[in-house]
Amino acid sequence: MRRAAKALGGAILLFIGVSILLSMFGIHLGGLISLVLGAWMMYLGYTKWQETGWSPSSIVLLALGAVILFGGMGGVVSLAIGLLLVYFGYKLVVQKTEQEEDEDEDNYGSDYDSLDAEFDRLIKK
């Protein structure tokens, strides 16, 4: 087994053990530990993706880190739906403004001549 995998497994066991021991004394760090652990796993997956591209280990690290960080599959699904809605809403708003600008330019060019074209037409008369 590679050294990094052993270190990851050891860190996970260490965090779980510390959490259990502290919970016996009324100190609950479950939320903090899951936040740190999920962010750390996502960071490892991201750095692995930057080095080698998409590999099974980078995908697993990113997915597992996201599930731990966002509080289970419900949190990840809610995050994904929220991001999709924001993305498509933004695209609709940007597309609408670009179409309005194109329509304004088309209407201006079809109804009225530019000032230079009008001036040239008047001088040629």
Side-chain angles (χ1 to χ4, degrees), residues 11-72:
I12 291 172
L13 290 176
L14 180 68
F15 283 135
I16 292 171
V18 168
S19 176
I20 290 171
L21 290 176
L22 288 175
S23 68
M24 290 176 60
F25 297 109
I27 302 170
H28 300 284
L29 299 175
L32 181 62
I33 290 174
S34 65
L35 179 70
V36 170
L37 183 62
W40 183 54
M41 289 180 76
M42 286 186 71
Y43 174 75
L44 288 176
Y46 177 75
T47 56
K48 189 160 190 69
W49 171 68
Q50 289 291 326
E51 293 172 0
T52 62
W54 290 111
S55 65
S57 59
S58 67
I59 293 171
V60 167
L61 281 172
L62 282 170
L64 189 59
V67 167
I68 291 172
L69 182 66
F70 297 116

Side-chain angles (χ1 to χ4, degrees), residues 108-121:
Y108 180 74
S110 63
D111 293 340
Y112 305 102
D113 292 331
S114 69
L115 184 60
D116 291 334
E118 184 70 23
F119 187 70
D120 289 340
R121 188 179 62 81

Side-chain angles (χ1 to χ4, degrees), residues 82-100:
L83 287 174
L84 282 173
L85 290 174
V86 167
Y87 173 74
F88 287 120
Y90 176 75
K91 293 298 272 183
L92 286 173
V93 168
V94 170
Q95 180 183 9
K96 181 70 173 172
T97 58
E98 287 177 358
Q99 282 181 348
E100 288 174 354

